[in-house]
Amino acid sequence: QVQLVESGGGLVQPGGSLRLSCAASGSIPRFNTMGWYRQAPGKRRELVATSTNYLDSVKGRFTISRDNAKNTVYLQMNSLKPEDTAVYYCNLRDNILRYDYWGQGTQVTVSS
């Protein structure tokens, strides 16, 4: 099994920055993709970023990075807006089995 542990969420003011981290452990599949999703109140879960894709509304503001040695993925969020408020989930996809593992979620609130 794979365990994903997220950290870094919190309350920030509009225009502020936040850096999310997600550490993977366990039986990590050799061929995998890690990314970030989010779900705002009353909204469907949406993809925020993978190494190859960004949500249009976060392009130029968010940056995803990965430290393969640490099995950790990061999401640097700059110029945060109130509409970025959501629970952010780390995702690891087993590309062979096409199975998704999920973190517990971390709350990001952007408010003045």
Side-chain angles (χ1 to χ4, degrees), residues 4 6 13 37 47 63 72 84 111:
L4 303 175
E6 299 155 323
Q13 295 182 344
Y37 289 73
L47 174 69
T63 303
T72 300
D84 294 318
S111 177

Side-chain angles (χ1 to χ4, degrees), residues 46-63:
E46 61 185 354
L47 174 69
V48 177
T50 65
S51 63
T52 57
N53 296 97
Y54 284 92
L55 183 66
D56 284 344
S57 62
V58 310
K59 288 180 179 178
R61 299 188 298 120
F62 291 10
T63 303

Side-chain angles (χ1 to χ4, degrees), residues 19-36:
R19 182 178 172 87
L20 306 182
S21 299
C22 173
S25 62
S27 300
I28 301 171
R30 181 177 182 182
F31 300 102
N32 69 79
T33 301
M34 295 185 72
W36 292 92

Side-chain angles (χ1 to χ4, degrees), residues 6-105:
E6 299 155 323
S7 62
L11 173 65
V12 296
Q13 295 182 344
S17 297
L18 211 57
R19 182 178 172 87
L20 306 182
S21 299
C22 173
S25 62
S27 300
I28 301 171
R30 181 177 182 182
F31 300 102
N32 69 79
T33 301
M34 295 185 72
W36 292 92
Y37 289 73
R38 71 185 183 188
Q39 186 166 23
K43 302 279 189 175
R44 289 169 56 87
R45 184 183 63 189
E46 61 185 354
L47 174 69
V48 177
T50 65
S51 63
T52 57
N53 296 97
Y54 284 92
L55 183 66
D56 284 344
S57 62
V58 310
K59 288 180 179 178
R61 299 188 298 120
F62 291 10
T63 303
I64 189 171
S65 61
R66 183 171 178 174
D67 185 336
N68 289 316
K70 295 182 178 180
N71 293 314
T72 300
V73 66
Y74 306 91
L75 185 67
Q76 178 66 47
M77 304 184 292
N78 298 325
S79 301
L80 283 161
K81 304 174 180 180
E83 50 263 46
D84 294 318
T85 296
V87 177
Y88 284 70
Y89 296 93
C90 179
N91 168 266
L92 186 152
R93 183 172 179 82
D94 183 328
N95 296 135
I96 303 301
L97 298 179
R98 299 179 181 178
Y99 183 85
D100 290 297
Y101 296 90
W102 297 95
Q104 78 284 357

